[in-house]
Amino acid sequence: GESVGLHLPTLSVQEGDNSIINCAYSNSASDYFIWYKQESGKGPQFIIDIRSNMDKRQGQRVTVLLNKTVKHLSLQIAATQPGDSAVYFCAENPMGDYKLSFGAGTTVTVRA
Amino acid sequence: EPEVTQTPSHQVTQMGQEVILRCVPISNHLYFYWYRQILGQKVEFLVSFYNNEISEKSEIFDDQFSVERPDGSNFTLKIRSTKLEDSAMYFCASSLTGPSNGYTFGSGTRLTVV
């Protein structure tokens, strides 16, 4: 399953399929990006990050892609599991700044 | 694994009352933050705190808000006279240096103003 275009608020994906969540960021000065997972009633949990000098970074079952030309970030989750159901946020951090600016979030629902 | 602890998990208050939200950041962290999330919306930055002073604040963080690190372990957010629109989840976060070094969020306090 894939969220088409820049952002969709919800994504439904079959268990075992791959998920792609997209995010557009706004600040050209941002040089650090993070994907967070938020489960109901909990705070944002770090998934993976990437710096602007990279265009791809892989973790366990997750990959982040960064396209600075169009200011686009994506998160790919391989073999999506029921435990992946959550809201996913991208966040950007401008160089020299200490705050994170969050995107609107995508709710991922995994169908059994 | 070290974590950021927030209390209470849920606070209900009357409009116009003062509330204090409490956070215990990770012990060796130096930077502290408050964020809020109105139901169904994105997480928004409120304030960052370093070396016992505010280093940055957003437009949301007006004169009704204040932060304090009263001792070596707690970090508090005070809202002096709560309004209905202050109802939200409030998240505390801390980091060792900047966002790329151990930036960790707590589980949040749900504030309901009635």
Side-chain angles (χ1 to χ4, degrees), chain A residues 32 34 36 38 41-46 49 51 89 93 97-105, chain B residues 31 33 35 37 41-45 48 56 89 91 95 97-100 103 105-108:
Chain A
Y32 178 64
I34 312 171
Y36 285 96
Q38 187 180 26
K42 295 185 179 180
Q45 300 170 267
F46 173 92
D49 58 0
R51 292 205 168 276
F89 292 95
N93 170 240
D97 206 338
Y98 284 80
K99 69 175 182 288
L100 297 176
S101 296
F102 283 80
Chain B
Y31 293 82
Y33 315 86
Y35 288 78
Q37 185 179 33
Q41 297 186 22
K42 65 181 180 180
V43 178
E44 300 173 289
F45 170 79
S48 58
E56 188 174 0
M89 281 289 286
F91 294 107
S95 66
T97 55
S100 62
Y103 211 106
F105 284 85
S107 293

Side-chain angles (χ1 to χ4, degrees), chain B residues 3-114:
Chain B
E3 56 182 32
V4 174
T5 305
Q6 289 186 245
T7 55
S9 57
H10 192 187
Q11 171 107 33
V12 181
T13 189
Q14 295 271 347
M15 190 169 55
Q17 294 296 304
E18 174 183 287
V19 294
I20 298 176
L21 309 183
R22 303 181 189 279
C23 170
V24 179
I26 293 173
S27 61
N28 64 335
H29 282 187
L30 302 175
Y31 293 82
F32 314 110
Y33 315 86
W34 284 101
Y35 288 78
R36 81 169 187 192
Q37 185 179 33
I38 294 171
L39 186 64
Q41 297 186 22
K42 65 181 180 180
V43 178
E44 300 173 289
F45 170 79
L46 291 178
V47 65
S48 58
F49 191 88
Y50 169 72
N51 200 25
N52 284 319
E53 62 182 23
I54 291 174
S55 47
E56 188 174 0
K57 60 183 180 180
S58 72
E59 294 175 350
I60 303 167
F61 194 89
D62 61 22
D63 292 343
Q64 294 294 320
F65 292 89
S66 62
V67 289
E68 192 178 28
R69 188 153 163 82
D71 52 42
S73 61
N74 290 284
F75 179 51
T76 62
L77 175 69
K78 182 192 291 186
I79 309 174
R80 287 190 185 79
S81 178
T82 50
K83 303 186 284 286
L84 294 176
E85 53 265 38
D86 293 327
S87 296
M89 281 289 286
Y90 287 81
F91 294 107
C92 174
S94 68
S95 66
L96 184 57
T97 55
S100 62
N101 196 340
Y103 211 106
T104 305
F105 284 85
S107 293
T109 293
R110 177 170 297 285
L111 177 64
T112 302
V113 182
V114 296

Side-chain angles (χ1 to χ4, degrees), chain A residues 1-4 8-21 77 80-81 84-86 88 106-112:
Chain A
E2 178 175 355
S3 64
V4 179
L8 272 183
T10 61
L11 175 66
S12 180
V13 60
Q14 186 70 38
E15 182 179 357
D17 286 353
N18 297 333
S19 303
I20 301 175
I21 306 164
I77 305 174
T80 313
Q81 302 169 357
D84 295 328
S85 292
Y88 290 81
T106 297
T107 301
V108 173
T109 304
V110 181
R111 306 187 306 271

Side-chain angles (χ1 to χ4, degrees), chain A residues 34-105:
Chain A
I34 312 171
W35 278 101
Y36 285 96
K37 174 184 180 183
Q38 187 180 26
E39 295 172 292
S40 181
K42 295 185 179 180
Q45 300 170 267
F46 173 92
I47 301 173
I48 192 167
D49 58 0
I50 189 167
R51 292 205 168 276
S52 59
N53 60 351
M54 304 173 70
D55 52 23
K56 181 179 179 179
R57 188 155 189 242
Q58 289 184 291
Q60 187 176 18
R61 281 202 309 119
V62 293
T63 301
V64 55
L65 299 177
L66 175 63
N67 185 331
K68 294 180 288 295
T69 303
V70 294
K71 292 193 285 188
H72 184 261
L73 197 65
S74 69
L75 176 70
Q76 300 176 2
I77 305 174
T80 313
Q81 302 169 357
D84 295 328
S85 292
V87 180
Y88 290 81
F89 292 95
C90 65
E92 59 180 304
N93 170 240
M95 189 185 306
D97 206 338
Y98 284 80
K99 69 175 182 288
L100 297 176
S101 296
F102 283 80

